[in-house]
Amino acid sequence: MTGTPIALLPERDEHVERAIVDGGATVVDDLAAATGLIWLGGLDDFPNSLPDNVQWVQLKLAGIEAFVDAGVIDDRRVWTNASGFYAENVAEHALALLLSVLHQIPAAVTRRWDKDGIDPAMRSLQGATVAIVGAGGIARALIPRLQACGASVIAVNRSGRPVDGAAQTLPAERLSEVWPRCDHVVLAAPATAETRHLVDASVLEQLPAHAWVINVARGSLIDQDALISALDAGSIAGAALDVTDPEPPADDDPLWDRSDVIITPHVANPASGLHATMAPWVRENVRRFIAGEPLLARLEPGRDY
Amino acid sequence: MTGTPIALLPERDEHVERAIVDGGATVVDDLAAATGLIWLGGLDDFPNSLPDNVQWVQLKLAGIEAFVDAGVIDDRRVWTNASGFYAENVAEHALALLLSVLHQIPAAVTRRWDKDGIDPAMRSLQGATVAIVGAGGIARALIPRLQACGASVIAVNRSGRPVDGAAQTLPAERLSEVWPRCDHVVLAAPATAETRHLVDASVLEQLPAHAWVINVARGSLIDQDALISALDAGSIAGAALDVTDPEPPADDDPLWDRSDVIITPHVANPASGLHATMAPWVRENVRRFIAGEPLLARLEPGRDY
């Protein structure tokens, strides 16, 4: 066998297999013979222990809080997640959710030719200010789309380091300034202890009454009880959620069957296209691994993702 | 009274009134005293005859086929419609329709957490080719939005004169080349004898099976019987229609209650915001009228709009 041995587990996939080979490595099944591991599974079937010869593990998702919580991410090797790999898909879904609610498409689907109800409720992105909370890859992909629609963006990230195309970037500690200044909010932050219930009763009170909250990140970012109360009180216009807590919501969850809550079933990054979408990124990381260059989407040990 | 007298009929509107004044003219009620007329009504209550002192009539809509068919547009004065005035609104609605169907939002609204059905049906605009038929102001507004989503555009207009941002512009006589080469179609052409049933059985056969047809122009552009047949046969993925023929469709129209037909009630340019949206354009045309400069959206006498 020639080439750097990379294990592809727990399943083979033609797109990822080709990416590994195109990146310059050889695909193996045996972890004991592998210097790297591309893991296409979830947490449940992840190996209990990894041999030390595995110097790098590539996970397939950007949201890896389950791996972090389980203590799987160790400091004996390099770990990479898929942060940024699916950013274009997720950004497009966020835009689709935002435009569809502003343009009353869910209402039009459920109410035949309700012109009197729908026409005055139509809203445009032109001239609107959209806050993007968690300004990583998704924000970088979303900002040009929003700009093309005539919206301006306030980005919020940890550092406050300016994000290209944002009218303003604020650090996380100044988050509270954002709510009264924006028209709509897109949540794109990882699920951490800090971001849990980031959108709570107080935030919902500060948003304008015409605001839509779009969540393409993790359900835990929103206090759903507070959301329902705010919607009942008319504090905001509505929420379009690709993620909920739990998923799916229980059959009797008050989120269901409201015209001011739109739920897509966690499909912003479709599982059916995931391997094809991640393949070029895997190829690049394999190339970098072999060349000894810094890997894309490297996890920082000890950080709460 | 000072200033050029412009009549504002059949109703006053604060936005348009201010636009006329800001453009340098004086608002009058009496047509006999007016050199121009801003007509905020429809065809039904349009004056039977206009005095010759009215040298210019500004209509409020872009789609003025009813005025043309009724023979109202004469050659004794200059006529302007609102072509281009609402292009940004309509382009945003076209994008909202296209993204919402590609991202399965109507399906998500009607089917609770149907991840197995929705996930594999998700489609992206990234890398897609969108044909825009009738490449005027709406196309110019839509192209940058589609480009920001990673789509490329084939524009079709009368002349074939290249449209900024389109990967290719074709003249109307080469329209038949477009169908097999595009992923989706946006109809943005005026309703004329030539464009009636522009999308017919033959066109629907040539489109790819994953194609969505978006109509933000006029219902007459689509042969709706052929559309229903094509959908039943699975020739295309679906149609998202802001306009139908007639409007609204009859209660028993087969367009209703299909998951592959999305209908919004002719709200791409919301009537509720129309006067505010047209105001800056009226102001500019008033200024040009007084200055003797060519007016925006001037109708060509004898042309079939």
Side-chain angles (χ1 to χ4, degrees), chain A residues 84-188:
Chain A
F85 293 14
Y86 314 114
E88 300 284 340
N89 286 350
V90 177
E92 189 178 299
H93 196 64
L95 182 65
L97 287 171
L98 182 54
L99 279 177
S100 64
V101 294
L102 295 185
H103 283 251
Q104 297 287 309
I105 288 165
V109 166
T110 51
R111 308 200 306 260
R112 277 189 182 188
W113 206 269
D114 176 21
K115 196 176 171 83
D116 291 344
I118 287 172
D119 186 296
M122 295 276 290
R123 294 288 177 272
S124 173
L125 271 179
Q126 295 166 74
T129 298
V130 178
I132 307 179
V133 179
I138 294 168
R140 285 191 296 276
L142 181 54
I143 288 171
R145 289 167 165 85
L146 290 172
Q147 285 183 310
C149 291
S152 64
V153 169
I154 303 177
V156 181
N157 58 20
R158 285 168 193 261
S159 63
R161 195 158 46 112
V163 176
D164 275 356
Q168 188 177 15
T169 307
L170 291 175
E173 65 262 27
R174 291 178 60 190
L175 185 58
S176 61
E177 296 173 31
V178 171
W179 314 120
R181 289 178 48 207
C182 69
D183 294 296
H184 309 291
V185 179
V186 175
L187 300 175

Side-chain angles (χ1 to χ4, degrees), chain B residues 129-201:
Chain B
T129 298
V130 178
I132 305 179
V133 180
I138 295 167
R140 285 192 295 277
L142 181 55
I143 288 171
R145 289 168 166 85
L146 291 171
Q147 285 183 311
C149 291
S152 65
V153 169
I154 304 176
V156 181
N157 57 19
R158 286 168 192 260
S159 62
R161 193 157 47 112
V163 176
D164 274 356
Q168 189 177 13
T169 306
L170 291 175
E173 65 261 28
R174 292 179 60 191
L175 185 58
S176 61
E177 295 174 32
V178 171
W179 315 118
R181 290 177 47 206
C182 69
D183 295 295
H184 309 291
V185 179
V186 175
L187 300 176
T192 68
E194 284 169 10
T195 62
R196 182 176 162 77
H197 290 191
L198 182 150
V199 172
D200 60 11

Side-chain angles (χ1 to χ4, degrees), chain B residues 7-85:
Chain B
L8 178 60
L9 295 170
E11 52 179 296
R12 292 279 180 125
D13 170 82
E14 54 170 343
H15 299 99
V16 179
E17 201 164 337
R18 194 175 317 125
I20 294 171
V21 172
D22 289 351
T26 301
V27 180
V28 299
D29 292 318
D30 183 7
L31 270 182
T35 56
L37 166 63
I38 315 293
W39 181 252
L40 297 183
L43 174 65
D44 290 347
D45 48 355
F46 195 80
N48 281 326
S49 72
L50 289 177
D52 280 352
N53 53 280
V54 175
Q55 300 159 32
W56 163 46
V57 179
Q58 170 71 58
L59 300 172
K60 71 172 178 178
L61 294 179
I64 49 132
E65 63 272 16
F67 284 81
V68 173
D69 293 349
V72 165
I73 314 293
D74 62 25
D75 55 5
R76 302 169 73 163
R77 66 205 95 232
V78 173
W79 295 77
T80 52
N81 69 353
S83 181
F85 293 12

